[in-house]
Amino acid sequence: MLNFMQNELRTQDTQAVIGQYLKKTGYANKWILLTDYCLDANNKANVISFVLLHYKNEEEYNALKEKLAKLQKSDIKHTRYISNRLMRYLRRLPIFSYSFILDSRDILFGDTKADQQKEVTDNLVAIRDCYQTWLTNAANASISSYYQDTIKKLDAQIQEVSMGKKISLHEDILLATSLGAIYTAEILKNIPDLEIVGWLPDRDKITQSCNGIAIPIFHCMLYNGLGSRDVQFPVADPKIVGPPFYDALNRIPDDICAAIADYDYAHPAISKEKFSHVLHELLAENPYVIVQRLYKDATGFHTGTIYYKKSLRMSTMFYLQTAVREVIGFWAMVKNKICR
């Protein structure tokens, strides 16, 4: 599957889009990757979303967090509507987003449970072997200790899978880490002075379970995808208590992932009006927001790119809904002030 995804990314059209994006960002050398997931939710598609944005300096980073917090005070589950201003702002940033709709995702690892167990084991063993190689060349005692600890964690998970335990969970961890690392590496590999790629994932079972092996797996795959370049890889602690420092930033992949998961592709429709603002203002006709359906059949792996296109009917309905919402919101604010 990994070779298949790399080949898809190296097509002429995709490379042209990546080149245009990097030119817009000035080939920045510091980057942040945000991640969100929607897996096994009722009446929703299974989706993993990534958002890549460049880091200029602390001042602009803090200004971005403040802007996001102001335009959307909570995640999309607890938000009645999404600000059009926020979506237009995100479109100008720029960001590069890549999301994957995963139909029957266990089949991506094999047609039978035995095949899936072997594929998961083989992946974990390959990553453990990578860390064992790194261990022999560790620069100091601290790094050596980290590698040894990671190898122990991976060995423990290999043992779990060998007993038929947590196979589906390991599949999700491998999907989230491999898809994110492969795409991120392919986008950033041609930046000559790349320094930092920081990962700020959503805090859930993907990063918190199985002794937190998602982080070293992602690190290994990103390192190899970048051609073994010595790039700093800071990661947010998945066990952090309370709202994470990047809570406002996580609104971006959260909005994208939720809108994609909610959209009914067979009968174009959404369950809530708030998702239309994400689809219409951010995803539609945006070459830097990629949505792919990844699946496997008897002939092998396949990917289908989903395009959101605007139409006169869609635009008319969208702006009518927006106007009604704004009028209702304004009237509610006036009534609130009168009551005070």
Side-chain angles (χ1 to χ4, degrees), residues 159-203:
Q159 181 66 23
E160 288 267 295
V161 174
S162 71
M163 296 186 292
K165 297 179 180 179
K166 301 181 182 178
I167 294 175
S168 294
L169 178 56
H170 283 92
E171 289 172 349
D172 287 346
I173 291 171
L174 286 167
L175 278 171
T177 51
S178 60
L179 291 173
I182 288 171
Y183 262 70
T184 302
E186 192 64 33
I187 294 168
L188 302 181
K189 69 179 185 181
N190 292 322
I191 295 177
D193 56 348
L194 183 64
E195 292 182 13
I196 298 174
V197 182
W199 188 30
L200 305 179
D202 192 24
R203 295 178 302 166

Side-chain angles (χ1 to χ4, degrees), residues 22-34:
L22 292 179
K23 187 175 181 180
K24 289 184 70 172
T25 64
Y27 293 88
N29 56 14
K30 298 177 182 178
W31 294 83
I32 295 171
L33 182 70
L34 303 157

Side-chain angles (χ1 to χ4, degrees), residues 79 151 155 168 248 290 299 333:
T79 302
I151 291 167
D155 277 334
S168 294
I290 298 172
T299 63
M333 180 181 67

Side-chain angles (χ1 to χ4, degrees), residues 4-70:
F4 169 78
M5 295 306 300
Q6 286 174 324
N7 291 334
E8 288 293 308
L9 274 166
R10 290 168 184 170
T11 63
Q12 187 174 354
D13 289 345
T14 302
Q15 288 298 309
V17 171
I18 291 173
Q20 292 166 7
Y21 175 72
L22 292 179
K23 187 175 181 180
K24 289 184 70 172
T25 64
Y27 293 88
N29 56 14
K30 298 177 182 178
W31 294 83
I32 295 171
L33 182 70
L34 303 157
T35 312
D36 196 58
Y37 326 94
C38 180
L39 300 173
D40 302 319
N42 290 333
N43 301 317
K44 305 288 183 183
N46 293 313
V47 179
I48 300 176
S49 293
F50 303 90
V51 169
L52 189 65
L53 67 155
H54 64 284
Y55 178 95
K56 288 186 178 180
N57 53 56
E58 189 71 16
E59 183 180 355
E60 291 204 12
Y61 172 74
N62 289 329
L64 171 60
K65 290 199 298 183
E66 289 175 9
K67 183 81 170 180
L68 293 170
K70 179 180 179 181

